[in-house]
Amino acid sequence: MDLKKIIALGLAGIFLLTGCAERREVAQQMLENKKMENRHEATTFAMDTVMSFIVIDEDGDELIIDAEQEIRRLENLLSITLENSEISKLNAAAGKEPVELSNDTMILLEAGKNLGAGTGGAFNIAISPIVKAWGFTEEEHHVPTREELDALLPLTDASDVVFIDASTAYLQKEGMAVDLGGITKGYASDKVASLLKGKGVESAIFSLGGNVYGIGTKPGGEKWEVALANPLDANDYCGLISVEDCAVVTSGGYQRFFEENGKKYHHIIDPVTGYPAESGLLSVTIICESGTEADVLSTALFVMGLEDALEYWQKYGGFEAIFITEAGEVVATEGADACFVFEGSGNDFTYRVVESE
Ligand code: AMP
Ligand code: MG
């Protein structure tokens, strides 16, 4: 269960009109009040996590229902635990036969495979046998033996996920399986954003288990604010990120883990070792226009560790990032710093900005 703390602050705003307020200001305030009346909120549970929505639109309630339906439609296609999902069928047919898939499943498999290759395999859609061995898939956690992991690692080569044609995929080895848990919520956030925008929504923010997407701005024109969770304290945050028409996605070992013999084991696997990534990072937050890319990158850069992640950012760009390290540092890329207010002084974090070269 996600512990991500997302706060969309200040929506109500405080209007301080002076005695000599001009008509235009009054009109503006009336317009803003009207928009506030159109504020619709809801929280639901889907994709194994908590999802919350704020939509500013007179049809907000119906639009949130549309969004939820879209999320459940995707969950029914992409879930690894629902027996009849397309992903479950693809996994069950591994090494046996190709499987015909719907457009969304194909898009996500291809995006996951290609983006994953771009991260040098740090993000790996074929990681499922290892995730399962640690018990994260069925929530029956235990530490697997080294032998068990070594036997499974050859089954996690993403290049063995092949596309026969535009609507057919095949897992080439028996025992292989794909796990889209590291990308599905980001993809769903893109789909929900385009659904809402397509219906004329100009102001909304929603969080699909911590995969946040902000559409437009708050009714007053200020940017939406997303709290950067303190990975060491679920009731605290390390600062606020301002967003407008973009995604903010965090991956962190603190979000899903279990303890055995006093040691913590989290859910983000280093595909090289088969062990939970020990990269010196507590969390990685990606800010970028595409929720799908942000989701892939947050997982991948967590696996890479700070040094390789910054190198990746310098080389490819196209996103901004905030890292929180085990050493207590909050490190922001230049563009992330521009939309982030650090508030870590009360919790012993220090702050550093990395410029692009
Ligand atoms: P996220 O919360 O987006 O970082 O995704 C973590 C989830 O993605 C895990 O619960 C697994 O289902 C899956 N996963 C774990 N390690 C990896 C990896 N290295 N590459 C791709 N998916 C992974
Ligand atoms: Mg992810």
Side-chain angles (χ1 to χ4, degrees), residues 209-279:
N211 283 241
V212 178
Y213 198 102
I215 297 177
T217 62
K218 291 186 218 171
E222 275 178 60
K223 293 189 177 183
W224 293 105
E225 287 172 306
V226 181
L228 176 69
N230 177 347
L232 302 176
D233 181 353
N235 298 313
D236 187 30
Y237 60 96
C238 295
L240 293 175
I241 305 164
S242 300
V243 299
E244 180 175 352
D245 285 315
C246 76
V248 180
V249 177
T250 299
S251 284
Y254 68 95
Q255 292 168 341
R256 194 178 284 228
F257 63 87
F258 68 94
E259 275 186 61
E260 199 172 292
N261 296 329
K263 191 168 160 38
K264 282 185 181 168
Y265 299 93
H266 64 71
H267 68 136
I268 304 173
I269 303 296
D270 181 341
V272 174
T273 64
Y275 255 69
E278 288 187 30
S279 61

Side-chain angles (χ1 to χ4, degrees), residues 6 55 86 96 109 132 158 192 209 225-226 251 258 277 295 353:
I6 305 303
V55 174
E86 289 193 343
K96 295 184 190 127
L109 280 173
K132 228 177 174 166
V192 168
E225 287 172 306
V226 181
S251 284
F258 68 94
D295 202 358
V353 179

